[in-house]
Amino acid sequence: MKKLKLNLGPQHPSTHGVLRLILELEGEKILSCEPDVGYLHRGLEKMAERLSYIQYLPLVDRIDYLASFFYSELLCRTVEKALGIELDKKVCMIRVLLLELNRISSHLLWIGAYLMDLGATSPFFYTMREREMILKLFEKITGQRMMNNYFVYGGVRHDIFALDDIECIINTIEKKILDYENIITENPIFLQRTKNKGIISKETGLNGSITGVNLRASGINLDLRKNDYLYSDINYKSIILETGDSWDRYKARILEIIESCKIVKQTLDYLQKTSGLKQNLINPIGIKLPEGSFYSEIEAPRGLASVYIKSTGEKTPYRLKWRTGSYYAVNLLRKLLINEHLNDAIAIAGSLDIILPEVDK
Amino acid sequence: MNYLYFLYIEFLAKHNIPQIFGDITFYVIPCTIIFIALLIAILALVLLERKLLGWFTQRKGPNRVGLWGLLQTLADALKLLCKENITPNNADKFLFNLAPVIIFIPVMIVLGLIPFSSEFTFMNFQTNLLIYIIVATMPVLSILLAGWASNNKYSLFGAMRNIAQILAYELPIAFTILSITVLASSMNLTQITLAQSSKLGLLGWFFIPCFLGLIIMFICTLAELNRCPFDLPEAESELVCGYNTEYSGMRFALLYLSEYGMLLANALLIAVLFFGGYLSPFGGYLTTGFWIYIEQVSWLLIKTFLIIFLIVWIRATLPRMSSPNLLKLSWSILLPASIINLFLVVIIKYIGGV
């Protein structure tokens, strides 16, 4: 049979942005896959070399528009580490609370979008409804729905409020998760499309630098939150599943939402008891990092995210490098899609939770 | 139909109009009626589906144009009429433009075969049902034309999948229809409807002896219509829009609306074959005289609406099947099941006949 070359993207409804996959097909079977990224490159790393640290802080929210708190936290954390700033416990708790709410909203969007990839339209609206509650809350607290810019070096912009709203939202989400489980998880067609499809073995996952939920669904216990100082007082369990197929990645995200709800509840307990906010804010104008290189990492919804800053003691970093989870997931598509049917290829690519702005930066 | 014909000729004779005029117009008028009714029904159907999907997903659905959004699809159709028809450069221009034109012909023929009431079948042949299943597969030819002539890989994939699907699902339908023919001892849709009439009302309908057949027929109809969960030929997350990716303006509208026309026709067929067509579920009719025809049409439309509601409900609930499983389902489950169903029905008919 003659081979057919197919450009899946960059304008295609299910590539979640502008991913381009160059596929070689025989019939509908995929012979090779070549991901082509960079259509959304905004030069965020190069921009850092021109901007002072406080000018750069609002920009990092744009790296992953679905998990903006994480990247904000990452930059704050690195600068705080470099300058030796200690955070008050309440500030830590506020940050954990918002990070976990952000993780929930990110996973909710993924569930909807993934089911949309599989052809089911309704779950998208259901998960968006719950995500909307979280976004409205973010707007109330930070003034922005998505690019929040709430964390600052040494603390948060202002004290948190609307704790009752958060409690209400978390209770609703915990209830609604059961609905998703009813309509999606055991659906025979969903099982058919996802069980034993796109299996990432432990070795493939580790060799491909896959992190986060995708790796934990393959059975490897790598959860950076366990060693994170923000999460030191919080009890939760990492979700580790066995096979690493698409269904496991789905289930892991569902379970992770439930765990995140528990974490949010713990922080709420603490925040409701304490009043007043002690921050160690620094003068944002003219922040200079000492000479040397600084690195920190965090467990973002799409895997390990880290930042490396090399400073020469100037107002701007000499070099700044982001590491994001999705980039490695895109790379893994080369291996995962071989010999799959075109129609499973979308299901597999979707299950990795690829966000293109995060890939291209 | 004969009754109506005599009424019409009698009416003309009273006004001294020659019979030859009546003979001609008697066939032109129903064609016009069915065309207008079809267009209105399809527009209403699109609106209905959008409204229902909106309610299923906790939205309001279209609610801006007209009262409760009633004119939404009309506005959409007008918009599509005004849009430019773009023919891609490397497309086969003649076939590309031909496909949307001929796709509507089978849809209209098929609707003419359905008995809407005891006197209201536009084309009443002895083998209505046979003609129906032959003509109902014709749109796939236009789909192949559209997919091939577009010179687009996604369109071609869509058309290719569609053909594989129709081939696989046509056989179980044929066997199920054969079992209905056995039950009714006729291939005429009016005779099939009448064979279901009894004092017991809905207990006499064919969905009871042929329940397995109903399930098979329903699944196969979903597949034939490219409805969820069998909407692989136009899977928007994989093939952008399937065979009609390159179409725009009114040509797209024709392709799109013909799908809804076939949805309506197939829902009507299921209502006729399994749910007693225009028969009342209570055994006797509630009205008398001329009103009986209106009642019959209403019963048929209510049954059709319920079937369409079920189809939309399924679309709101289920994800899409995967392509290899789709063919496996047909050849290894539905086809044997439909043959078993035929045997069962023959046994039931034999016992009932004795």
Side-chain angles (χ1 to χ4, degrees), chain A residues 178-247:
Chain A
L178 298 175
D179 283 0
Y180 307 152
E181 294 255 51
N182 284 335
I183 194 176
I184 305 164
T185 312
E186 293 300 327
N187 186 322
I189 297 177
F190 181 70
L191 286 177
Q192 211 179 56
R193 291 293 303 275
T194 53
K195 271 275 178 200
N196 297 321
K197 292 280 163 65
I199 297 177
I200 301 178
S201 65
K202 285 184 183 177
E203 293 75 39
T204 331
L206 287 175
N207 292 341
S209 294
I210 299 293
T211 43
V213 192
N214 294 339
L215 189 68
R216 264 172 274 148
S218 300
I220 291 172
N221 190 351
L222 178 75
D223 191 344
L224 293 177
R225 286 180 287 178
K226 286 286 177 200
N227 309 323
D228 202 318
Y229 69 90
L230 284 184
Y231 291 84
S232 53
D233 295 336
I234 285 164
N235 293 317
Y236 77 101
K237 75 175 197 292
S238 309
I239 309 299
I240 316 287
L241 295 178
E242 293 282 302
T243 45
D245 54 9
S246 300
W247 190 83

Side-chain angles (χ1 to χ4, degrees), chain A residues 4-8 12-14 25 27-28 117-122 125-126 129 187 189 192-193 341 343-344 346, chain B residues 56-59 153-154 157 160-161 228-229 232 236-240 315-325:
Chain A
L4 183 73
K5 210 171 164 192
L6 185 72
N7 269 312
L8 201 75
H12 187 277
S14 70
L25 300 171
E28 289 203 52
D117 281 352
L118 294 178
T121 39
S122 300
F125 293 101
Y126 299 149
R129 179 186 60 197
N187 186 322
I189 297 177
Q192 211 179 56
R193 291 293 303 275
H341 197 270
N343 150 279
D344 286 331
I346 301 293
Chain B
F56 278 124
T57 52
Q58 315 227 333
R59 292 176 290 126
K153 286 164 188 166
Y154 293 114
F157 274 127
M160 215 167 75
R161 285 182 180 184
C228 196
L232 283 122
E236 79 281 346
S237 58
E238 298 142 30
L239 300 182
V240 190
R315 177 178 168 188
T317 316
L318 292 179
R320 191 178 299 126
M321 296 264 297
S322 73
S323 183
N325 282 314

